[in-house]
Amino acid sequence: MKGILICGELKGGKITSVSKELVTTGRRLSDKANQPLYFLLMGDKLGIIAGKAADMGVDKVLAVEDPALADLHPERLTAVLKDICHRIEPLLILFGQTDLGRDVAPRLAAKIGASVCMDCADLAFDETGDVLLQTKPVYGGNAMAQWASPNCFPHVVTMRPRSEKPSEPDPANPGEIESVAVDIDESQTRAQLITTLKEEDGGIRLEDAKTIVAGGGGIGGREGFRLVRELAQTLGAAVGITRVPSDENWMPKKLEIGQTGHTVSPNLYIAIGISGAPQHLAGCSSSKVIVAINKDPQARIFEEADFGIAADYRQVLPPLIEKIKDLKE
Amino acid sequence: MNIIVCVKQILDPEIPVSKFRLDERNKKVIPPEDIPPVINPYDEMAVELAIRIKERHGGRITVLTVGDNSAARAVKHALAMGADEGIVLQDPVFEDSDSFGTAYILSQAMRKIDDYDLILCGRQAADWDEALVGIILAEILELPVVTLAESVDLIEGRLQIKRVMLDGSQVFSVPPPAVLTVSHETGQPRLPSGWGIISASRKEIPVWDAIAIGADKSRTGAGASRKNLVKLFIPVKERKCEMIEAETTEEAAGKLAEKMRMKGTI
């Protein structure tokens, strides 16, 4: 067995930042273990993307182009990955903890007899250089668990987004590109994909936002989110939410940040009416500066914030919005 | 439509952080004495979805769990909500099984039950947060699996499932029997009724051991585990919060804006 295989992902015809983070992780590990780094691309039209991928600092890009790979169809993607794994026999297969990774990584591990560790925040070899230590948050982020799988190869790992910096392009050392033809056996595809709906509201994508204003259960209802939105608008920020506003239908579910939602790391994260459950912090704790506004001075969010105001957001936000407007002028 | 729901009993994920303690030497969580374990909230949503399907299409709901004597509590909760019967899979050789071992044990019980159209699992257990068992179970039984299911319809003998994604949703159609992992978008699980609690308390919950389900013990327990826990620890907090104090909230808001500007974030 040799090599590290990254399962790359595309969004809007571009390599996702999570995939670039995987290159950083993969490169670090492959240099340490003196192993080649493969980057797998699957899609209906790859075009110039394979070339871009080859410039990211990987040894080889494996490009699988097939009209059947246009959508996220886990059975088909697993079939392709299984085929690729049989050909190159990698030691480690890396995924992002994304819609794709969450679903496909366990399927692949079961099919190829691999060990699997989901949602890792850190991945490193031990001092012997032979054992891969896989560290992941458990108990909703209350604890961290470090695992090893010395007797089970290969390893399948999904990495939590924002665990590492995205790789920088390295066009001076381009990797090879190999176009791989994979026969997708449709008789093995039992689930029929009827539709894929992408909810796009034209707003700033949470993953790309430099500033995020997030509201939690303490906002109290739909009405309160007007102020949250107004602050976001003033800052040119994206709006995020915790589980409560999502479950209560105050705000669209797709804005949810946390273990069961998006993982973000903006420069500024303003948490309003958020208690600070570890399941929420899991999605935002790598933000550069965290500001918390909560009327409960004992709220856990203050332990995770850089600046805090213990007061009712209804009283804090209007003057804060005015002050920010002043400063921006 | 006969449905099997897999449930797990876990440490209450809502416990206050001050009550969350570890035995780092033995790599175990110390359960607080005054807070009883609960049915995994995602599994509770799977039970809810099963009951909704039964209300529309009829059938029986069987609840399975792998665990010790106390695990029957999670099964009783599901019965009180409206499931028909429960079974506990328990044997010393099952202890400390990883997700592959647990999925194998469940798969053997499914083979024994044999008569089912749908298997539901919660999207993940809120203790180890791996989200593996449902998918591996489907792979062992060679059944189609759809993850993060929000709702299910029965259309011309096929299951039509809406699944949630981060930026949207998908609809899949699969022939039964199939496995679904259920996400919280399903909605709040119902509370057990008074009558539900009484009738659940009267129900016998059979215990099936390795022999009863024909389980190969080389595939269960710590020995069969594909990964070992090396370390369990509480992460160190890196931030120190500066609380902004002022006479009025206006003043505090002004100070906060200044701080944010000094940090270069606005």
Side-chain angles (χ1 to χ4, degrees):
Chain A
M1 282 195 197
K2 69 180 183 43
I4 294 173
L5 174 68
I6 293 170
C7 178
E9 287 188 57
L10 301 172
K11 199 156 237 171
K14 287 190 176 143
I15 296 163
T16 63
S17 60
V18 176
S19 299
K20 292 178 186 169
E21 292 157 27
L22 294 177
V23 173
T24 305
T25 309
R27 188 76 263 167
R28 181 169 53 76
L29 296 172
S30 62
D31 287 349
K32 181 105 181 164
N34 202 15
Q35 294 281 340
L37 181 62
Y38 302 100
F39 189 87
L40 173 66
L41 275 173
M42 298 179 277
D44 58 337
K45 283 192 221 81
L46 297 175
I48 57 160
I49 294 296
K52 290 234 161 89
D55 286 347
M56 289 193 304
V58 299
D59 298 306
K60 194 182 223 179
V61 173
L62 303 167
V64 183
E65 210 169 15
D66 192 305
L69 299 174
D71 289 297
L72 199 178
H73 192 304
E75 274 183 326
R76 284 193 192 124
L77 295 171
T78 308
V80 173
L81 272 152
K82 187 182 161 193
D83 188 316
I84 298 286
C85 286
H86 278 299
R87 292 182 203 208
I88 65 171
E89 299 196 326
L91 287 165
L92 168 64
I93 303 115
L94 282 176
F95 291 84
Q97 176 79 350
T98 57
D99 286 326
L100 187 155
R102 283 176 208 262
D103 195 306
V104 173
R107 291 179 196 248
L108 179 68
K111 283 198 197 295
I112 64 173
S115 74
V116 57
C117 194
M118 303 293 288
D119 201 18
C120 283
D122 187 40
L123 207 52
F125 286 106
D126 73 351
E127 61 276 11
T128 66
D130 296 327
V131 177
L132 189 67
L133 299 172
Q134 306 151 45
T135 309
K136 85 179 268 329
V138 293
Y139 287 90
N142 276 314
M144 300 290 281
Q146 190 173 75
W147 304 87
S149 331
N151 305 314
C152 184
F153 292 94
H155 307 317
V156 169
V157 171
T158 70
M159 291 294 291
R160 171 167 287 204
R162 308 290 177 268
S163 301
E164 300 222 37
K165 289 207 160 60
S167 66
E168 295 291 334
D170 183 11
N173 295 300
E176 280 177 64
I177 300 171
E178 186 183 328
S179 178
V180 185
V182 173
D183 257 334
I184 299 170
D185 180 2
E186 283 299 323
S187 71
Q188 295 298 307
T189 308
R190 295 154 302 179
Q192 183 194 347
L193 176 59
I194 299 187
T195 50
T196 298
L197 274 176
K198 294 242 163 74
E199 290 173 24
E200 312 215 0
D201 60 357
I204 310 162
R205 279 190 64 223
L206 282 166
E207 276 81 359
D208 300 331
K210 296 254 186 300
T211 307
I212 293 174
V213 180
I219 299 296
R222 258 174 232 199
E223 194 57 25
F225 272 96
R226 272 198 196 177
L227 266 179
V228 174
R229 280 212 166 99
E230 200 185 327
L231 174 61
Q233 241 159 23
T234 312
L235 288 163
V239 173
I241 56 171
T242 64
R243 264 288 284 281
V244 176
S246 165
D247 287 349
E248 299 288 333
N249 281 321
W250 299 341
M251 292 289 277
K253 185 254 132 50
K254 65 174 174 180
L255 301 179
E256 189 187 317
I257 292 168
Q259 192 184 45
T260 53
H262 297 271
T263 307
V264 299
S265 64
N267 289 332
L268 174 62
Y269 190 86
I270 305 182
I272 304 166
I274 290 176
S275 61
Q279 290 84 351
H280 174 69
L281 295 167
C284 65
S285 57
S286 60
S287 306
K288 217 154 132 202
V289 175
I290 297 180
V291 170
I293 300 168
N294 194 310
K295 66 178 175 191
D296 174 11
Q298 303 301 320
R300 169 138 199 247
I301 189 75
F302 291 122
E303 290 173 33
E304 306 284 341
D306 299 283
F307 300 106
I309 295 184
D312 188 339
Y313 78 94
R314 292 175 192 87
Q315 258 113 56
V316 180
L317 260 41
L320 184 62
I321 291 164
E322 288 315 309
K323 184 74 186 176
I324 291 166
K325 279 183 185 160
D326 289 350
L327 290 174
K328 285 201 149 190
E329 268 166 16
Chain B
M1 168 139 330
N2 290 336
I3 306 172
I4 300 176
V5 189
C6 305
V7 304
K8 182 180 183 185
Q9 180 162 285
I10 61 166
L11 177 78
D12 188 343
E14 303 290 327
I15 65 162
V17 177
S18 57
K19 298 252 180 192
F20 184 84
R21 287 173 56 229
L22 291 183
D23 173 356
E24 292 197 13
R25 179 190 291 257
N26 291 308
K27 296 174 276 190
K28 285 203 152 79
V29 174
I30 303 168
E33 275 169 23
D34 52 340
I35 302 174
V38 296
I39 181 171
N40 171 36
Y42 297 108
D43 297 345
E44 199 178 4
M45 288 157 197
V47 175
E48 172 64 31
L49 186 59
I51 297 169
R52 286 187 207 162
I53 296 168
K54 182 187 160 173
E55 284 169 345
R56 264 182 297 150
H57 303 290
R60 285 186 75 70
I61 302 171
T62 306
V63 179
L64 282 187
T65 192
V66 182
D68 58 15
N69 285 329
S70 76
R73 281 181 43 131
V75 174
K76 291 260 180 195
H77 182 85
L79 294 176
M81 284 172 71
D84 298 290
E85 59 191 320
I87 301 159
V88 174
L89 309 173
Q90 188 193 339
D91 195 297
V93 302
F94 296 166
E95 280 169 28
D96 297 319
S97 293
D98 70 355
S99 297
F100 289 93
T102 304
Y104 168 71
I105 295 162
L106 289 167
S107 76
Q108 288 299 110
M110 307 285 171
R111 291 187 209 275
K112 184 175 161 112
I113 295 170
D114 195 37
D115 175 24
Y116 57 84
D117 307 292
L118 186 59
I119 297 168
L120 301 182
C121 302
R123 61 174 283 169
Q124 68 201 65
D127 50 3
W128 295 102
D129 291 319
E130 295 213 273
L132 291 172
V133 169
I135 298 175
I136 298 168
L137 173 64
E139 291 289 338
I140 296 172
L141 292 170
E142 297 182 0
L143 296 178
V145 52
V146 180
T147 62
L148 307 185
E150 176 182 330
S151 59
V152 189
D153 285 310
L154 192 60
I155 297 176
E156 292 168 2
R158 287 174 69 95
L159 299 156
Q160 187 154 316
I161 300 117
K162 183 181 179 199
R163 72 181 287 257
V164 292
M165 299 195 299
L166 280 180
D167 294 318
S169 59
Q170 284 184 316
V171 177
F172 276 97
S173 164
V174 294
V179 179
L180 309 182
T181 75
V182 179
S183 194
H184 54 273
E185 285 78 6
T186 296
Q188 285 299 317
R190 68 197 63 199
L191 292 169
S193 65
W195 171 244
I197 294 168
I198 294 165
S199 82
S201 71
R202 287 180 188 157
K203 269 191 190 133
E204 281 282 313
I205 298 180
V207 175
W208 291 355
D209 63 8
I211 292 166
I213 58 172
D216 170 358
K217 65 181 181 200
S218 73
R219 294 183 67 178
T220 69
S225 186
R226 294 192 189 181
K227 60 184 197 291
N228 331 323
L229 189 56
V230 178
K231 206 159 69 167
L232 187 64
F233 59 100
I234 290 180
V236 186
K237 288 198 182 60
E238 285 149 15
R239 295 178 205 266
K240 190 154 178 10
C241 186
E242 180 183 337
M243 293 304 288
I244 293 166
E245 314 274 354
E247 293 286 316
T248 65
T249 46
E250 283 81 9
E251 208 185 311
K255 280 190 183 174
L256 176 63
E258 290 289 351
K259 296 274 183 198
M260 293 195 292
R261 189 173 69 162
M262 269 162 56
K263 283 273 177 187
T265 53
I266 59 171

